[in-house]
Amino acid sequence: MRNKLIAAVEEICVEKYTGAEIIFLAGSIVRGEGTATSDFDLVVMFRSLPRAYRESFRFRQWPVEAFVHDPDTLKYFFLERDKPSGVPSLATMVSEGIEVPGPNEFSRSLKKLAESVLSDGPPLWNQDDIDRSRYMITSLADDLKEPRSAAESAASGAALFEVLAMHYFRSRGLWSAKNKMIPRKLSETDPDFSERFVSSFADLFQTGNAQKVIKIAEDVLAPDEGWLFEGYTSFAPKEWRSA
């Protein structure tokens, strides 16, 4: 299967990315976790481009997402976009990606940069970041205690799933994840906690019972002084005004 994937990427390069120095093939297909609808994640590297871009298309039976960069734009996205967000999507793709058509000095230098970013970790949260997150989690957990409908319960639970995972990672100085990557990242960090986290939300979405989710939110916030509502104040920047 690996050889088949590499051959497909080589064809894509000939058809769409003539002049590319290297393509990193990444994503669930490469990890052996792909499904019938999984896409190719490609980081396409040129020596120089007017600007970075991403595009989506189909190649035969596969959906493809391509992130097209040169070294300067890649470094910008590593440091100025992904790093502040706490979710190192692009650096992970380069670090884990298969080099097509094969490793070379250029690709090794990019992998070294990606691995350096990943090892440095995300910016540490300050107290304002922690308190803002505590407040959001408290509000969503309160909405789950007495929801007006099953639809509102599901919506609040879905929002809390990502916010709570973000707090768990970032308050501990760890890289975070988004959407479907959250369970994988949790499992890599703490398998026991991951099982508890995922099963508590499964219980909420399947039965409407929010008690396990509320308890796990309480436990995640405990190292940071727990729930936060009364007395919380958040100031807008002074320049946020229209003349």
Side-chain angles (χ1 to χ4, degrees), residues 140-162:
L140 288 167
D142 284 345
D143 289 341
L144 285 174
K145 292 174 183 177
E146 294 291 339
R148 286 183 287 264
S149 67
E152 286 195 8
S153 176
S156 296
L160 182 59
F161 186 90
E162 187 161 322

Side-chain angles (χ1 to χ4, degrees), residues 4 94-95 135 154 191 218:
K4 184 179 180 182
V94 172
S95 176
Y135 180 81
E218 183 177 16

Side-chain angles (χ1 to χ4, degrees), residues 31 38 50 80 125 130 138 142 186 207 221:
R31 296 192 301 270
S38 293
E80 305 297 334
W125 267 9
I130 291 172
T138 301
D142 284 345
L186 284 171
T207 71
L221 293 183

